[in-house]
Amino acid sequence: MRKRFGLLLAALAAFVLCFGGLAQAEEKVYVNGIDFGFPPFGFVDKAGNPTGFDVESLDWIAKKMGFKVKHQPMDWDGIIPALLAKKIDIIASGMSATAERAQKVDFSIPYYEVTQVLVVGDKEKGTLPELLKSGKKIGIQRGTVTAKLLEGLVTQPGYKFELVPYDSTDLSMEDVKIGRIAGSGMDSTIAQETMKNPGFKVAGTFDAAPEKYGYAMRKEDKEFQDKVNKGLKLLMADPYWKELKAKYGL
């Protein structure tokens, strides 16, 4: 009898161990898609690690709300298709919550506001209105709000410039530096980061309404949206929010 009972206990322990290991292996890890180079919100540092204001913010939210997250750098132009295809679960990387994007995804509560500007070399004498009629080359990062804005302007009467698309704003600024293009359009936040390097200036701000940043998630993931929004509200009310903004110059 004792032998049978012992065997039963051993079998039960093995089942619990196996089931527990399976549950642990299947624990959900949410994947955050970030831009390769969109400082200070999301970027890859010199050591090859994802970092930035949004990366650290989401890490705090995940810890507070009891879920795990990892950050996956990827091309910005394909980041919403990757979210819809369930290759990633959230985009927390300085994304403007536009009406067009909101047709495909749901956004968190807004947490930051930006305008669109043109950054040029510091020796460029043309103003923003002049450059948009100069016939010169202007860079854009594919898939951004600024890209859509300039793609609309270039087709309108009275404007004359050539658009040059890039995979990242960093690459466009390398071409501004060597004079291959006259300037590059971007969010005011990344312009502020760019201005930390010598040789650049802002030629002007585009005549467009300010955009608000939000985290993008799939429309059907309502429970996850609730967690993220609750966590983001807690973060914005916590002293750590001010510390993060100070750290990244926001």
Side-chain angles (χ1 to χ4, degrees):
M1 184 70 178
R2 287 182 179 178
K3 185 176 181 181
R4 288 182 180 178
F5 185 68
L7 289 172
L8 180 61
L9 284 177
L12 181 61
F15 174 77
V16 170
L17 182 63
C18 178
F19 183 79
L22 182 62
Q24 185 175 8
E26 292 181 349
E27 183 178 5
K28 173 69 174 178
V29 177
Y30 291 92
V31 181
N32 174 36
I34 71 164
D35 197 336
F36 280 103
F38 194 70
F41 289 91
F43 59 99
V44 177
D45 65 18
K46 293 180 180 178
N49 300 312
T51 190
F53 179 78
D54 282 333
V55 170
E56 292 199 45
S57 294
L58 192 57
D59 282 341
W60 189 96
I61 292 169
K63 185 176 180 181
K64 191 75 171 179
M65 300 306 298
F67 63 87
K68 293 187 176 181
V69 65
K70 68 176 182 178
H71 308 279
Q72 180 62 53
M74 59 200 324
D75 289 336
W76 192 251
D77 195 32
I79 205 163
I80 286 183
L83 176 64
L84 299 178
K86 298 188 177 181
K87 295 179 181 178
I88 58 175
D89 301 293
I90 186 171
I91 304 168
S93 185
M95 174 169 276
S96 297
T98 65
E100 182 179 358
R101 287 170 173 163
Q103 293 178 6
K104 299 177 180 178
V105 301
D106 281 350
F107 283 98
S108 69
I109 59 171
Y111 64 93
Y112 202 75
E113 187 174 276
V114 296
T115 55
Q116 312 302 318
V117 302
L118 181 69
V119 176
V120 298
D122 60 3
K123 291 183 173 54
E124 173 62 58
K125 295 181 179 179
T127 63
L128 174 59
E130 290 170 347
L131 288 168
L132 294 179
K133 300 174 182 177
S134 67
K136 293 184 177 181
K137 295 180 179 180
I138 293 176
I140 50 169
Q141 181 180 353
R142 294 182 178 91
T144 61
V145 169
T146 319
K148 187 170 182 62
L149 173 66
L150 284 168
E151 286 165 356
L153 288 179
V154 76
T155 63
Q156 294 182 16
Y159 291 96
K160 186 181 179 183
F161 60 92
E162 181 182 345
L163 278 180
V164 183
Y166 292 85
D167 289 331
S168 75
T169 304
D170 289 344
L171 293 174
S172 71
M173 294 315 298
E174 289 297 319
D175 278 358
V176 172
K177 190 184 299 182
I178 62 175
R180 187 170 291 164
I181 59 176
S184 182
M186 63 191 73
D187 284 357
S188 53
T189 46
I190 196 169
Q192 183 178 342
E193 190 73 16
T194 300
M195 300 297 288
K196 294 178 181 179
N197 302 308
F200 302 114
K201 66 180 182 180
V202 173
T205 301
F206 289 100
D207 185 17
E211 301 283 349
K212 295 183 184 296
Y213 283 172
Y215 301 159
M217 292 163 279
R218 286 184 291 273
K219 287 183 174 293
E220 64 268 25
D221 292 347
K222 299 301 183 184
E223 185 177 345
F224 182 48
Q225 290 179 30
D226 290 342
K227 280 186 180 181
V228 170
N229 277 317
K230 183 177 179 180
L232 182 52
K233 288 178 183 177
L234 290 172
L235 173 58
M236 293 172 73
D238 193 274
Y240 185 59
W241 181 250
K242 289 184 178 180
E243 291 177 23
L244 273 181
K245 291 180 75 173
K247 177 179 178 179
Y248 287 101
L250 296 172

